[in-house]
Amino acid sequence: MKMFLFYLNIPKNIKDKRAIKDNKENSGGLPIPPYYLRSRVGMPRDVEGFLSEGKKIYSNINNLLKEFDTEINNFNTILDFGCGIGRVIRWHSKQKGQKIYGVDIDDDVTNWCKNNLLSYKFNSISPFPPMIFEDQKFDFIYAISVFSHLEEKLHLFWLKEFSRILKPGGYILLSFHGYYCYEQYFQNKVMEPLSDDKAIPFPYPEGNELDRRGYVFDPIDLKSGYGNSFISHDYIFKKWKNIFKIEKIFPLGMSRLQDAVLLTNK
């Protein structure tokens, strides 16, 4: 069976190698991960989409920070939580003295990053806190499409861990599934970004189902606490305020699909 799959994938692998070669100039001067690793950490999986989406998310993060008169290059120590195969971290224009870390629960992707994205530091972590980092290590933490997949108790554990490793006054930017994604998912199990020509549908309808439920988790793997989660803005203001100062929630602020929230550590 394995041999059959190997031969079945030969055309795809040849095509992918050609695409990697053709996109060398668009890669930021860094190696591009192979298809089998890109396919494990979400969409898009094609080379062009992988590069453009990572660059877009990096710019997205920076633009949200600029609303608070700061940007990524202003931070000395940064953590990409759930870095995957490095689609975002590779676009950091690392400044002198800046230290940038990436962590993920997938050993294969972090090992590839360690061997290929040499300007950054990578570690594999458990699905459950704590991490190996000392208290108050980071100035800025971001987690893109991570809190959109955590069981409720687990996401609260990770928030407390972030508070431990983040310096007082440090920033956290998280993306999560809000009401827009909730509606799509429970209608047809598909979540698509809002097209650029459409206005963001906010404020969301008063008394909508997600507001009533607060936190909704549709499990995929109960053992690791992984699935699809949906969080109302009201829930964030009520539950997270004991840990962080909530600076702002951005409806569809991440790639016009997930909502985003900017927090500061108390």
Side-chain angles (χ1 to χ4, degrees):
M1 183 65 178
K2 288 183 179 179
M3 188 62 69
F4 170 75
L5 291 174
F6 172 79
Y7 284 112
L8 187 66
N9 284 324
I10 284 178
K12 184 182 291 183
N13 291 333
I14 291 173
K15 183 179 179 181
D16 192 62
K17 287 179 179 179
R18 287 174 181 163
I20 287 175
K21 185 178 179 180
D22 292 343
N23 281 274
K24 191 173 182 179
E25 292 184 2
N26 302 322
S27 68
L30 296 173
I32 299 171
Y35 177 84
Y36 81 93
L37 288 178
R38 298 197 311 274
S39 65
R40 288 167 61 163
V41 290
M43 302 292 283
R45 297 173 178 175
D46 63 287
V47 173
E48 296 86 349
F50 169 80
L51 293 172
S52 63
E53 183 68 10
K55 193 173 185 178
K56 180 181 177 182
I57 291 171
Y58 177 84
S59 296
N60 205 161
I61 293 169
N62 227 10
N63 289 335
L64 296 181
L65 287 171
K66 285 177 181 178
E67 288 198 25
F68 287 80
D69 297 320
T70 191
E71 57 183 283
I72 291 173
N73 285 340
N74 291 340
F75 301 111
N76 292 322
T77 314
I78 299 170
L79 176 64
D80 181 339
F81 181 80
C83 65
I85 202 65
R87 66 171 178 167
V88 176
I89 201 171
R90 66 186 297 121
W91 297 107
H92 283 265
S93 54
K94 192 175 177 186
Q95 305 298 299
K96 185 177 181 180
Q98 200 174 46
K99 295 180 180 178
I100 304 173
Y101 296 77
V103 295
D104 202 279
I105 63 172
D106 188 328
D107 292 340
D108 290 338
V109 298
T110 53
N111 285 335
W112 186 91
C113 288
K114 284 178 185 178
N115 293 325
N116 291 278
L117 305 180
L118 303 180
S119 295
Y120 317 104
K121 299 174 185 276
F122 295 93
N123 289 293
S124 294
I125 58 170
S126 163
F128 310 99
M131 291 184 281
I132 62 170
F133 303 115
E134 65 266 27
D135 294 356
Q136 300 183 14
K137 181 177 180 65
F138 296 100
D139 302 299
F140 178 52
I141 299 171
Y142 63 88
I144 307 304
S145 198
V146 177
F147 278 65
S148 45
H149 297 289
L150 299 181
E151 182 271 333
E152 185 175 8
K153 287 184 179 178
L154 182 58
H155 104 279
L156 292 172
F157 289 151
W158 277 116
L159 286 177
K160 290 176 183 177
E161 174 69 354
F162 288 170
S163 181
R164 180 187 72 81
I165 63 173
L166 189 67
K167 294 175 183 176
Y171 283 105
I172 302 181
L173 183 69
L174 308 175
S175 75
F176 63 96
H177 291 143
Y179 176 71
Y180 174 80
C181 289
Y182 177 86
E183 258 201 329
Q184 289 194 66
Y185 184 77
F186 286 100
Q187 285 177 5
N188 53 26
K189 295 289 183 178
V190 174
M191 292 178 279
E192 297 287 346
L194 185 71
S195 60
D196 291 337
D197 61 338
K198 293 184 178 180
I200 291 175
F202 189 82
Y204 298 138
E206 287 189 19
N208 67 71
E209 188 175 358
L210 181 57
D211 276 347
R212 292 196 300 272
R213 299 177 71 181
Y215 199 105
V216 176
F217 180 67
D218 188 18
I220 295 172
D221 180 5
L222 283 172
K223 186 177 180 181
S224 65
Y226 179 84
N228 283 303
S229 58
F230 305 84
I231 313 174
S232 75
H233 293 186
D234 189 53
Y235 178 98
I236 289 173
F237 281 111
K238 287 180 178 177
K239 296 284 189 177
W240 295 14
K241 69 179 182 180
N242 297 324
I243 308 172
F244 300 105
K245 179 184 177 185
I246 299 161
E247 298 290 354
K248 185 175 181 179
I249 296 179
F250 306 86
L252 273 63
M254 190 55 59
S255 301
R256 295 178 68 83
L257 175 62
Q258 295 190 15
D259 290 3
V261 58
L262 185 66
L263 314 166
T264 50
N265 206 17
K266 293 183 176 179

